[in-house]
Amino acid sequence: MTQSDVFQGSVAVAETARDKAAYQGFLAGLFVHDIRWHLFSSIRIPPTSPPALEFLERFKAALLSLDAERIDREGELPDSTIKDLAGLGAFGIKIPRYYGGLELSQSEYQQVATLCGSVDASLTVLLSAAQSIGVPEPLRLFGTDDQKARYLPRLARGEISGFALTERHVGCDISKVDTYAVRVLERGETVGYRLTGDKFFITNSAKRDGEFLSSMLVVIARIVDKPDDMKDSRAPKRYGAFIVETQWPGCSVTRLHFEGVRAIYNGAPSFDRVYVPIENRLGGEEDGLRIALATLTVGRLTLPAACLGGLKQCVALMRWWAKARVQWNKPIGEHTLIGEKLCRTAAYALALEAVMAYCGAWANKKGDLRLESAAAKIIGSEWYWEAVNDLFQVRGGRGFMTADSQRKSGEVPVPVMRMMRDARINLVWEGTSEILRIWMAREALAPYIDQGLALLDGSWSEKTAAALYYSRACLRSSLPLLHAKGPSGLFGKDYARWTRLIESASRKLSRSTLVAALRHRQGLHNKQLQLQGLVDDSLLIFPMTAVLWFASQPEMRIKPGIRQLVDYFCEDMADRLRTGSSVTGRGGRPGRDTAVYRLSKAIMNGDYAWLEDGIMPGMNSDPTAAGTANHPK
């Protein structure tokens, strides 16, 4: 078998697992110049229910006693913390009340993640992995009534779970999973499976060597008739998803340790002929990869929601220090090279909150978020990483000190280095920024690729249909959109110039996509740098549209200075679209120094304190710490 055959086999397996339903979300439309304004006009910022508000208050109270520095130093979450969270129902946030859970909506759950992300990354990962990608989510999506009745009440009471997909040599190419499940037959019928293999990088799996933190895992494995089938290239590749209870014989685990997020309970579980009854299989024997992909789609939204909490903390800390630190007879935030960092961080916080509000609203309605969740993960992780780096730069030498050393020397203990160590992994787990860009390109360009194949190898009628498709695409990408109701009426006349920019940018993106598809056809998947450029344009247009929608909502229009901050963000996105750069332009646009100076002063003076809503009021747990009373504002 040639390397090309192996590659084509992997592609075939991946294609089988794909959700082939036409994309109905906003991002997919940008690539074909179909700006789906109705997806914004038909929703509002999701309100928070009274039960969610009550839970958030109780959750905040529990977080007040959390010592994030001690957790980082010792690499352990206190058992008492885990027990207290279980008592609050924090492991059953989205589980229906019928099964003992809180039944909060996705948008309400994202608020919990934002709150948690502003305090401690390890705790955030524990809660996120337990219910966003752990057993509750695939069970909710694909489980039978009997499976839900058996497991959801246990999970709602606080039992911890995880999702076991990746392996030592298998990351994003999930068609290469080597863990296998041999069918156990009785009278010719499958009654169970013998599960064998090793998983790697499995969150919430290990507490100590050999000891599981989780009581159950969803394990993705290839289903075979006998172990030798794993070496037979002709054997069919079917992948199943199994609920495995970790106390079953044959299960063991080794804990892994990391440079950041040090109290994460990540491990390498092993399974040695573990018997799994057939009633513990989720879905059919060919549904495993589909279940994995579907679970990650909504589960991936937790990470950018947590990044939003970190971003908001960066705003709080940066605005405090930019005003408190004086150099050359004025606060450093009034020096526009520093002020620009403050303005950019504040703009990112506003835009990411807008993106998460949009995604939360459509997740509540079970809308199509396949591309949007990936986009939110990319921009959330990358913006937060950029903001933490800027915070380090603004703090100067103090940013390189440990929080304990700062405290002992009479400084306010701001743990910038811990924040950096914890933030870096966000660009890698749950899909690296690179692989998610490739995936987004593959999915967004699917119509062009499918029609291109028909144009080359299809029947006469298929070739005619494909030619008509490309003709319409050329027309769409060349002419302005016509709307019965202009977009300026959707977001208001204050933002009309930005809606016009979104339309022109989408037209340019669709033209570039069409040209790339026609030029490279089947070879387009190898043009990864070109695909990255197309996706990056969509990652500028999407948050710009979200922030216009968010800022035009009645509850946001009254926020002090919101129009100025929206204009600053949109100017930044427009600069990047013009220059073709995914990072902010550092050029001297006329009037930029004046705009940055005024905006940074307003942020330092507290005009934008509302940006810090939804996070814990301080970075350290000791209210007697030197400097200020717990929160350096």
Side-chain angles (χ1 to χ4, degrees), residues 194-333:
R194 288 287 179 186
L195 186 69
T196 299
D198 302 301
K199 295 293 183 177
F200 202 63
F201 289 146
I202 307 305
T203 304
N204 284 4
S205 61
K207 189 169 178 62
R208 285 178 288 273
D209 285 351
E211 181 182 344
F212 282 93
L213 175 72
S214 55
S215 61
M216 63 190 83
L217 299 168
V218 170
V219 181
I220 304 298
R222 183 178 170 186
I223 296 175
V224 295
D225 290 321
K226 56 186 183 302
D228 287 346
D229 288 348
M230 294 296 294
K231 301 176 182 177
D232 186 353
S233 61
R234 296 166 298 177
K237 287 192 172 184
R238 300 187 181 94
Y239 297 87
F242 305 91
I243 300 175
V244 177
E245 301 206 31
T246 56
Q247 82 278 9
W248 287 347
C251 296
S252 61
V253 66
T254 300
R255 184 175 176 182
L256 308 176
H257 296 275
F258 304 94
E259 293 294 342
V261 202
R262 288 178 171 173
I264 184 177
Y265 294 106
N266 191 291
S270 295
F271 308 97
D272 182 12
R273 291 177 49 80
V274 177
Y275 179 72
V276 183
I278 193 169
E279 54 266 26
N280 276 47
R281 188 189 71 208
L282 287 169
E285 286 197 344
E286 297 185 356
D287 290 338
L289 299 187
R290 184 169 65 91
I291 289 172
L293 294 174
T295 299
L296 290 171
T297 293
V298 176
R300 194 175 277 129
L301 288 173
T302 309
L303 192 146
C307 288
L308 176 60
L311 257 176
K312 286 171 172 272
Q313 279 291 9
C314 286
V315 174
L317 294 166
M318 202 182 295
R319 78 176 179 93
W320 156 70
W321 188 243
K323 185 176 183 179
R325 177 69 165 169
V326 175
Q327 293 287 279
W328 292 308
N329 300 318
K330 62 181 179 181
I332 60 172

Side-chain angles (χ1 to χ4, degrees), residues 25-309:
F26 179 79
L27 268 164
L30 294 177
F31 292 88
V32 293
H33 196 38
D34 177 15
I35 306 180
R36 296 163 182 170
W37 297 113
H38 67 280
L39 294 176
F40 287 93
S41 63
S42 60
I43 57 170
R44 294 281 306 275
I45 298 174
T48 307
S49 66
L53 290 171
E54 179 186 352
F55 174 77
L56 283 166
E57 288 304 313
R58 292 189 290 124
F59 191 68
K60 285 180 185 177
L63 292 181
L64 285 173
S65 61
L66 200 70
D67 188 343
E69 290 304 305
R70 179 181 176 185
I71 290 170
D72 178 68
R73 188 168 54 250
E74 297 180 355
E76 297 286 348
L77 285 165
D79 290 337
S80 58
T81 297
I82 298 175
K83 183 178 179 181
D84 290 345
L85 291 175
L88 289 175
F91 293 101
I93 292 175
K94 294 198 293 180
I95 292 175
R97 283 187 289 272
Y98 178 80
Y99 296 108
L102 300 179
E103 201 173 344
L104 302 190
S105 68
Q106 174 65 27
S107 57
E108 291 166 343
Y109 168 62
Q110 288 173 190
Q111 292 181 55
V112 178
T114 297
L115 183 65
C116 207
S118 72
V119 179
D120 182 71
S122 296
L123 181 62
T124 306
V125 171
L126 174 75
L127 291 175
S128 168
Q131 51 206 330
S132 292
I133 57 172
V135 173
E137 187 66 11
L139 190 57
R140 181 183 67 82
L141 293 173
F142 298 97
T144 65
D145 289 341
D146 176 67
Q147 289 170 334
K148 292 174 183 177
R150 279 192 291 132
Y151 287 113
L152 287 181
R154 289 171 53 183
L155 294 161
R157 288 193 296 268
E159 290 192 37
I160 297 170
S161 66
F163 193 83
L165 171 61
T166 58
E167 299 179 2
R168 193 176 299 274
H169 303 294
V170 178
C172 296
D173 187 4
I174 56 180
S175 65
K176 295 292 197 306
V177 165
D178 284 334
T179 299
Y180 62 90
V182 179
R183 296 182 184 90
V184 177
L185 304 178
E186 286 186 7
R187 299 177 183 176
E189 296 291 330
T190 302
V191 296
Y193 302 85
R194 288 287 179 186
L195 186 69
T196 299
D198 302 301
K199 295 293 183 177
F200 202 63
F201 289 146
I202 307 305
T203 304
N204 284 4
S205 61
K207 189 169 178 62
R208 285 178 288 273
D209 285 351
E211 181 182 344
F212 282 93
L213 175 72
S214 55
S215 61
M216 63 190 83
L217 299 168
V218 170
V219 181
I220 304 298
R222 183 178 170 186
I223 296 175
V224 295
D225 290 321
K226 56 186 183 302
D228 287 346
D229 288 348
M230 294 296 294
K231 301 176 182 177
D232 186 353
S233 61
R234 296 166 298 177
K237 287 192 172 184
R238 300 187 181 94
Y239 297 87
F242 305 91
I243 300 175
V244 177
E245 301 206 31
T246 56
Q247 82 278 9
W248 287 347
C251 296
S252 61
V253 66
T254 300
R255 184 175 176 182
L256 308 176
H257 296 275
F258 304 94
E259 293 294 342
V261 202
R262 288 178 171 173
I264 184 177
Y265 294 106
N266 191 291
S270 295
F271 308 97
D272 182 12
R273 291 177 49 80
V274 177
Y275 179 72
V276 183
I278 193 169
E279 54 266 26
N280 276 47
R281 188 189 71 208
L282 287 169
E285 286 197 344
E286 297 185 356
D287 290 338
L289 299 187
R290 184 169 65 91
I291 289 172
L293 294 174
T295 299
L296 290 171
T297 293
V298 176
R300 194 175 277 129
L301 288 173
T302 309
L303 192 146
C307 288
L308 176 60

